[in-house]
Amino acid sequence: MNTTGATMLLRTAAELDAFGARTGPRALVMTMGALHEGHATLIRAARTAAGPDGQVVVTVFVNPLQFGEAADLDRYPRTLDADLAVAGAAGADAVFAPSVDEVYPGGEPQVRIAAGPMGERLEGASRPGHFDGMLTVVAKMLHLTRPYAAYFGQKDAQQLALIRRMVRDLNFPVEIVGVETVREPDGLALSSRNRFLDAEERRTALALSRALFAARDRLAAQQALHARAQTTTATTGRAAALTRLGEVRAAADTQAVAWARPDDGPAAVRAAARTILDDAAAAQPPLALDYLALVDPADFTEIPDDRTTGDAILAVAARVGATRLIDNIPLTFGADT
């Protein structure tokens, strides 16, 4: 266990094998570097799970197979010295930071993992081939590092779902653990891309998390009203009577309870988020929406408006200036309030 804040830097698979032979079971955190508090949270979760007899390895590798344009690959920040410090402070025992040639000897692999239909939706539609490249490198890193568990952030919800599906479908002997999204005090989801936002762009970008929170709050309010409707005698007639008596506020509350319907949830969620995003589209600088989608976490297909129960993910992607950002929030329809 790392108790000093110092980490070993490993550059080759041979060094990784030699390191693993000296220590206990391994928990893995896979990154592309530019580590921030979100990554540190993953490392701390892995450290806690691994315990004093286990080890935590962090991979730092900017995977060229995930980038559609060379300019985006070149623009991605490389901060290895800072990454070592963050990883060590969070409890990592080693950072495995191989070169491209070490991971892909002889050039890009001819055989790759195909993400399938889920990989063609949302992020996959916006970034063709991205998930094939991601799964290919995740598979390689899992083989190279041989962990018993690997930790990924829920901010990249579609990525997490695809990794879980690959591990299940291809019988990888590893547990995939999702860790809750870490946010900055203003609500913006932590991302290495946030550093590219200037002050005005960041103000506009806050619409992403505000839209998600508005949708979550709207669902909670809708479900609370429906729960009240099941236990009260509120009727539209009673609301009209209260209005005639001058009790306007009470009348409005009674009518809302009377009209509450569980199948309004998905439509209400989408509408609440869309209102915030539409306002941001008119801001300066504007937010250019890529998608807003309410999806089933199992396969990322759209949830119909008549869904009244079950888990969902509300996902959003947008561009502010030259920076593309994603965010999401889990929701549960039909939850107790």
Side-chain angles (χ1 to χ4, degrees), residues 104-324:
Y104 302 123
E108 292 189 0
Q110 295 185 29
V111 177
R112 307 186 187 193
I113 301 291
M118 194 192 332
E120 298 172 357
R121 301 174 185 132
L122 300 188
E123 285 299 293
S126 298
R127 305 166 67 187
H130 167 74
F131 285 128
D132 291 355
M134 179 276 293
L135 290 178
T136 298
V137 79
V138 168
K140 289 212 67 167
M141 288 295 183
L142 289 176
H143 286 311
L144 288 169
T145 59
R146 298 187 296 278
Y148 73 89
Y151 291 74
F152 295 88
Q154 292 179 354
K155 184 179 81 70
D156 297 300
Q158 192 173 5
Q159 170 180 284
L160 176 59
L162 281 163
I163 292 170
R164 282 176 166 156
R165 187 61 187 248
M166 177 186 73
V167 164
R168 182 169 66 252
D169 286 354
L170 301 183
N171 298 102
F172 279 70
V174 61
E175 179 186 3
I176 302 300
V177 182
V179 177
E180 186 176 351
T181 299
V182 179
R183 299 184 180 277
E184 300 196 41
D186 58 10
L188 191 66
L190 280 172
S191 169
S192 60
R193 296 175 183 268
N194 292 354
R195 69 186 66 195
F196 299 129
L197 299 169
D198 64 28
E200 290 76 17
E201 290 170 342
R202 184 186 178 89
R203 187 163 53 249
T204 295
L206 291 175
L208 272 70
S209 57
R210 287 176 52 231
L212 297 177
F213 297 156
R216 178 195 61 193
D217 293 346
R218 182 68 184 87
L219 178 61
Q222 189 77 10
Q223 294 185 154
L225 285 172
H226 179 65
R228 286 180 58 194
Q230 305 305 302
T231 59
T232 67
T233 58
T235 64
T236 54
R238 182 167 182 263
L242 285 169
T243 300
R244 287 194 296 272
L245 292 172
E247 298 290 342
V248 176
R249 183 172 299 176
D253 179 70
T254 300
Q255 185 150 305
V257 171
W259 286 356
R261 297 171 51 200
D263 58 354
D264 287 340
V269 161
R270 291 184 178 97
R274 178 71 66 172
T275 297
I276 303 295
L277 297 170
D278 286 348
D279 288 345
Q284 289 299 327
L287 180 144
L289 183 65
D290 187 349
Y291 61 75
L292 172 69
L294 183 66
V295 298
D296 188 319
D299 58 10
F300 274 67
T301 55
E302 278 282 348
I303 284 178
D305 282 344
D306 60 358
R307 171 76 65 85
T308 60
T309 60
D311 294 331
I313 290 175
L314 183 63
V316 62
R319 191 173 296 274
V320 182
T323 304
R324 187 175 183 276

Side-chain angles (χ1 to χ4, degrees), residues 68-90:
E69 298 181 9
D72 290 337
L73 175 61
D74 293 340
R75 187 177 182 231
Y76 198 88
R78 275 83 164 173
T79 58
L80 184 56
D81 289 343
D83 293 344
L84 286 167
V86 171

